[in-house]
Amino acid sequence: MSSEPKVKPLRYEIADVGKRVKQSKKKHTWLFEINGEKHRLDFFDSRVSEKKKVTHNGVDILKTKQKAAVFNYSFTVKGQTLNVLHIGDRKYDLRINTKSFQHLPQFNANPKFYDPAAGASRYKESKITGWEDVRAAHEESHD
């Protein structure tokens, strides 16, 4: 039996969440499983204040003010190295054990949430923001 952890990407979403001007702040959400345990990672990026925030399962793990072009944050979850990094023009990627979220096995297997025609980001935009809404949408896609 392999000791390698099973990492399964479930979903990526991006939403405009600014208080006054919606487009002034982006929320990136990655949902994934590590050995069958669900995880949610949210990354907030403010264009105006340049503030960044990372939450894991609703708990703040980083708050900082840093220019987007140099943002790179690494941390560990269940023994796995996660890295949120800037990849271009207000776009960010999650790497799990150095593998891009979009290149993890099984990610491309769910075409409802993957859109190669969307350009460099390769993801559809979504307005779903609540964990329960995301879970329901995920369960619907597997019915």
Side-chain angles (χ1 to χ4, degrees):
M1 183 172 175
S2 174
S3 62
E4 179 129 349
K6 183 177 180 189
V7 178
K8 179 181 177 184
L10 299 176
R11 186 178 185 122
Y12 169 83
E13 298 175 348
I14 183 169
D16 294 322
V17 297
K19 287 182 183 175
R20 291 187 179 95
V21 178
K22 289 288 185 195
Q23 296 83 2
S24 69
K25 183 187 275 186
K26 298 282 186 188
K27 176 183 178 184
H28 301 260
T29 300
W30 292 273
L31 300 174
F32 55 95
E33 291 180 357
I34 297 175
N35 294 328
E37 183 179 318
K38 289 186 180 181
H39 295 270
R40 176 188 178 125
L41 187 73
D42 292 310
F43 172 67
F44 298 85
D45 176 31
S46 172
R47 297 188 110 163
V48 177
S49 69
E50 294 187 344
K51 290 180 183 176
K52 313 281 186 273
K53 181 170 86 167
V54 178
T55 66
H56 175 247
N57 293 340
V59 177
D60 292 353
I61 58 174
L62 174 74
K63 288 183 180 180
T64 186
K65 186 174 180 179
Q66 188 176 8
K67 292 195 181 293
V70 296
F71 187 81
N72 185 341
Y73 178 64
S74 294
F75 57 102
T76 303
V77 172
K78 296 289 185 184
Q80 310 311 302
T81 302
L82 278 67
N83 182 258
V84 177
L85 70 148
H86 177 256
I87 58 171
D89 192 30
R90 295 309 229 211
K91 291 181 176 66
Y92 295 86
D93 190 23
L94 173 64
R95 305 273 167 96
I96 302 177
N97 298 326
T98 71
K99 293 180 184 169
S100 174
F101 190 81
Q102 66 180 331
H103 293 122
L104 288 169
Q106 301 177 358
F107 183 69
N108 296 348
N110 192 349
K112 183 174 180 180
F113 305 119
Y114 177 75
D115 184 11
S121 71
R122 300 175 58 105
Y123 306 106
K124 288 185 179 180
E125 294 210 8
S126 172
K127 297 300 179 194
I128 297 175
T129 57
W131 173 250
E132 293 303 318
D133 292 340
V134 171
R135 180 180 292 149
H138 173 70
E139 289 170 358
E140 285 174 16
S141 72
H142 287 80
D143 287 344

